[in-house]
Amino acid sequence: MDETEFDIPAAMAESVRSRAGAWALVTGFAAYWGEPLVPGDGFTDAELDAAERRLGLRLPAALREAYRLFGRRADLTSSHDVLLTPDELHVLDGALVYRAENQGCAHWGVPLDELGREDPPTVVRPDLADKSQERWEPWEERFSTAAAAMALMEKLLEDHELSDVLESGDELPDGFRELPALGRDFRWYQAPDVLVGAAGDAWVVARARTPEALEALYEAVPGPRSGG
C-alpha cells in the first residue's frame, strides 16, 4: 500500500462522523502502519454471545464490531493499556468495564443505561486513594471514537524498533502536519512515513514505517530516547 492509498487525515476526519468511518480508519491504519487485519484478529460472535449470557445484558453494536474486527490484536489494543477480553468484561457501579490502565490507575466503561444505543458514550474512572471519591466521568461521546483512538495510540506505544517516545517538550519541526482531532486529549501529527501522537502532557510517541524515516525524525527532533 503506498501513501496515496491511505489518506490518514481524511480517514481520521471521517472516523468521528460514523462508526463505519472509525472501522475504516483502523483497517487502513493497521495495513499501512503495521500488519493488515485478518479474520482471526477478532473475537467470534460465539465468544461475544457467551459474554452477554454471563453478564445478563446486550453488548452495543459498536463494541461487538470492534471486538470482532481487531479485539485480539494486542498491538492495537494492549501495548500500554489493556482491552479486556469478552470473558473479562464486568460491571462496576453502573458501567460495563471494557478497558483498564496498565497499572490499574483507571478503567474505561460504557454506562449501563446507554447500552441500548448502537454507539454509546464512554466513561472513565480514575483509581483514587479515597475510594469513596471515585466516580465515572465522561470520556468519548461514542464508543467507536474511543476504540479508533485506542488503536492508533496503542500501535504507536508498541514495543517495536520503529516506535519511540520523544521528550514531551520537544518541538516538532515545520514539516509535521497536524491531523484532525481524534480522541480526548490526543493530538496527532504526520510527516513522510512518520506518525506522532501526543497524549496531553503525559507523552509524545512516534511510529515510523522505515528505519530511514525514524532516523530522519531523530535528526529533526534531537534529544533523549526511550530506545524503541
Side-chain angles (χ1 to χ4, degrees):
M1 176 181 290
D2 64 37
E3 195 157 350
T4 63
E5 292 178 294
F6 180 56
D7 184 343
I8 191 168
M12 291 177 75
E14 184 60 32
S15 72
V16 299
R17 299 190 182 105
S18 70
R19 67 182 195 270
W23 309 148
L25 170 62
V26 174
T27 300
F29 172 79
Y32 189 68
W33 291 93
E35 295 295 328
L37 294 173
V38 297
D41 288 340
F43 291 97
T44 66
D45 280 319
E47 290 170 302
L48 295 167
D49 291 345
E52 289 185 335
R53 290 193 296 271
R54 175 177 61 82
L55 294 164
L57 51 77
R58 295 294 300 273
L59 301 176
L63 187 146
R64 290 185 67 104
E65 290 166 358
Y67 271 74
R68 287 201 308 260
L69 182 64
F70 64 99
R72 291 185 182 275
R73 278 284 294 268
D75 59 321
L76 301 174
T77 65
S78 303
S79 295
H80 184 264
D81 300 326
V82 180
L83 180 72
L84 304 185
T85 63
D87 60 1
E88 293 173 330
L89 293 170
H90 60 277
V91 172
L92 174 65
D93 288 349
L96 174 67
V97 180
Y98 69 87
R99 191 177 183 217
E101 198 271 340
N102 69 92
Q103 295 181 330
C105 294
H107 292 82
W108 289 265
V110 177
L112 295 183
D113 58 5
E114 300 282 6
L115 291 181
R117 297 172 60 175
E118 291 190 343
D119 199 358
T122 60
V123 289
V124 64
R125 185 186 181 99
D127 180 63
L128 303 176
D130 183 352
K131 298 302 181 184
S132 68
Q133 297 301 308
E134 290 187 1
R135 300 287 187 277
W136 287 109
E137 302 170 2
W139 188 244
E140 297 289 353
E141 293 183 0
R142 299 205 328 254
F143 177 87
S144 61
T145 301
M150 171 190 71
L152 269 63
M153 188 56 79
E154 293 296 325
K155 187 66 177 177
L156 268 61
L157 287 163
E158 183 183 18
D159 183 10
H160 191 278
E161 62 184 5
L162 295 179
S163 292
D164 210 344
V165 178
L166 310 180
E167 291 293 292
S168 61
D170 283 343
E171 291 290 334
L172 294 176
D174 292 340
F176 279 79
R177 171 187 181 183
E178 186 164 5
L179 298 173
L182 176 68
R184 180 174 174 179
D185 295 334
F186 289 165
R187 302 185 313 281
W188 308 92
Y189 305 88
Q190 181 188 32
D193 285 337
V194 175
L195 183 65
V196 172
D201 296 325
W203 65 70
V204 179
V205 62
R207 177 66 176 240
R209 295 186 69 240
T210 67
E212 294 77 14
L214 186 62
E215 185 59 34
L217 173 67
Y218 289 161
E219 293 176 1
V221 188
R225 306 296 168 213
S226 69

